[in-house]
Amino acid sequence: LANVDLSLQALFDYLEKSGQLEDTVVALFSDHGCLYTAQNQPLLCESRTNVPLLILHPKYKGGTHAELVATNLDIGSTLLSIAGGDPKLGDGVANAPFAEDSAGRSYVISESIFGDLYKVALRDENYVYHYSCSYDKNKKVVDIGGVGKSSLFARKNENLCVDLSGKHPDAVKKMHDLLLYHLKKYGFDPTIKGNS
């Protein structure tokens, strides 16, 4: 953090001295960091997928903290909107308040493929749905209908790992349907061999 602070100070000092501070948008974003390889939490838990995004825009003073559901695809669309371009040209969604017609994102997916294992965490405003199943890398087939494991957590209490699947079957079905939609949209073949 000290190194980041020092780098940002140098950047802002330069922008201020050169008279460009009031005409510059600064975006700072991160990756998942060293926690990604830690073994004491699920692979796609919030601490590994909820990463910083800070945008300083001369028009918006004071700053606000937003609990947006967003993905890295949204960064490009947001910056394009800030620059006056059409944010719909990309795959992302421009985040408010930087886009006049921003509808926001209703869910976001984090996924990983390791050999023959597919793991996904799907988040909306209320829940986190974790799902894992087998993956055939030669055929690009995710075996949704085979032997899979799923869990549903309250988004605000994900770290407690209390599975709410039995209490909220409608939420599980909604999340699973979104997962199927996502897999088909991005070119995976979600083979369905039985009840998921």
Side-chain angles (χ1 to χ4, degrees):
L1 287 176
N3 288 336
V4 172
D5 284 346
L6 190 60
S7 299
L8 289 175
Q9 180 181 355
L11 172 65
F12 285 114
D13 285 349
Y14 168 78
L15 290 172
E16 192 168 24
K17 287 176 186 173
S18 65
Q20 298 178 66
L21 186 59
E22 292 301 315
D23 296 323
T24 303
V25 174
V26 178
L28 175 69
F29 44 96
S30 177
D31 65 3
H32 41 65
C34 61
L35 283 174
Y36 193 73
T37 56
Q39 297 300 317
N40 60 343
Q41 293 178 314
L43 177 66
L44 298 170
C45 65
E46 185 175 19
S47 64
R48 294 177 176 167
T49 56
N50 187 7
V51 295
L53 169 62
L54 302 148
I55 299 176
L56 176 70
H57 192 297
K59 179 179 172 185
Y60 301 96
K61 303 291 185 185
T64 60
H65 177 261
E67 289 287 342
L68 295 171
V69 177
T71 180
N72 56 359
L73 288 173
D74 299 337
I75 295 170
S77 295
T78 301
L79 293 177
L80 191 58
S81 178
I82 289 170
D86 182 359
K88 295 180 180 133
L89 292 176
D91 287 333
V93 174
N95 296 135
F98 304 112
E100 303 223 347
D101 62 345
S102 173
R105 183 176 289 280
S106 61
Y107 70 93
V108 66
I109 287 183
S110 304
E111 58 191 340
S112 291
I113 296 173
F114 291 104
D116 62 353
L117 184 63
Y118 172 79
K119 288 189 170 191
V120 64
L122 194 151
R123 288 172 174 77
D124 67 8
E125 292 180 352
N126 301 308
Y127 298 106
V128 182
Y129 179 67
H130 285 236
Y131 188 84
S132 64
C133 64
S134 64
Y135 175 72
D136 184 332
K137 61 184 171 186
N138 296 322
K139 297 179 182 175
K140 277 187 79 176
V141 171
V142 176
D143 189 3
I144 288 286
V147 178
K149 181 180 177 189
S150 68
S151 306
L152 182 75
F153 307 111
R155 187 169 170 218
K156 293 189 185 228
N157 299 318
E158 180 183 355
N159 61 337
L160 298 178
C161 294
V162 176
D163 189 358
L164 303 173
S165 299
K167 291 184 178 181
H168 301 284
D170 291 343
V172 171
K173 181 175 179 351
K174 174 190 165 194
M175 293 293 211
H176 203 75
D177 289 346
L178 285 172
L179 175 57
L180 288 172
Y181 168 78
H182 167 78
L183 289 169
K184 290 175 184 174
K185 180 177 178 182
Y186 289 100
F188 289 99
D189 179 8
T191 300
I192 303 172
K193 295 180 181 172
N195 294 326
S196 54

